[in-house]
Amino acid sequence: DAIRAGVCQMCMSMHQAVQDASEEMFEELRRRNYTTPTSYLELINSYIHMLDEQTTSIDAQVARFQGGLDKLRDTQVMVDDMKKQLAKMQPVLEASSKETAAMTV
């Protein structure tokens, strides 16, 4: 409800700004510009269209970031598994290193 009230307030402010600009235009150029209910409805439809575009864009970005986070989590699991394997193989690697060192001497 707070969002709806904010949107209504914004639409009223925009409508009033257009009326003020129309009066200013009349004073400077002596030309009338009328704001009709259809103009007001077009403003609301433009806002709805822009909101839909932004929502779609944000949803796509969220999905992209979520995919990146999933890959990072999968990579972390793989790295943890590799660390465990390396810790298990460490004694074997040290023994192999000693054998290689003994053979080269």
Side-chain angles (χ1 to χ4, degrees):
D1 289 332
I3 294 173
R4 181 174 287 200
V7 169
C8 289
Q9 184 64 36
M10 179 204 60
C11 287
M12 289 186 316
S13 297
M14 289 175 66
H15 190 70
Q16 185 62 45
V18 168
Q19 285 181 335
D20 293 343
S22 294
E23 286 298 319
E24 190 175 313
M25 180 179 151
F26 178 72
E27 289 175 9
E28 289 180 15
L29 303 175
R30 294 290 177 210
R31 291 190 64 187
R32 288 277 180 202
N33 179 37
Y34 296 100
T35 307
T36 63
T38 302
S39 302
Y40 194 64
L41 291 175
E42 286 178 12
L43 168 69
I44 293 170
N45 286 331
S46 294
Y47 178 79
I48 290 170
H49 180 70
M50 182 184 70
L51 182 64
D52 288 342
E53 285 179 353
Q54 290 297 314
T55 302
T56 301
S57 174
I58 290 170
D59 288 344
Q61 288 178 353
V62 167
R64 191 175 125 234
F65 288 134
Q66 189 62 45
L69 286 173
D70 291 343
K71 289 200 183 275
L72 285 172
R73 285 188 196 114
D74 292 344
T75 303
Q76 183 64 44
V77 168
M78 290 170 58
V79 167
D80 290 342
D81 289 343
M82 288 179 191
K83 284 181 181 178
K84 288 176 186 174
Q85 288 176 355
L86 183 61
K88 287 180 185 176
M89 295 175 61
Q90 193 66 30
V92 175
L93 292 173
E94 287 176 4
S96 296
S97 294
K98 288 179 184 177
E99 288 176 14
T100 304
M103 288 182 175
T104 57
V105 174

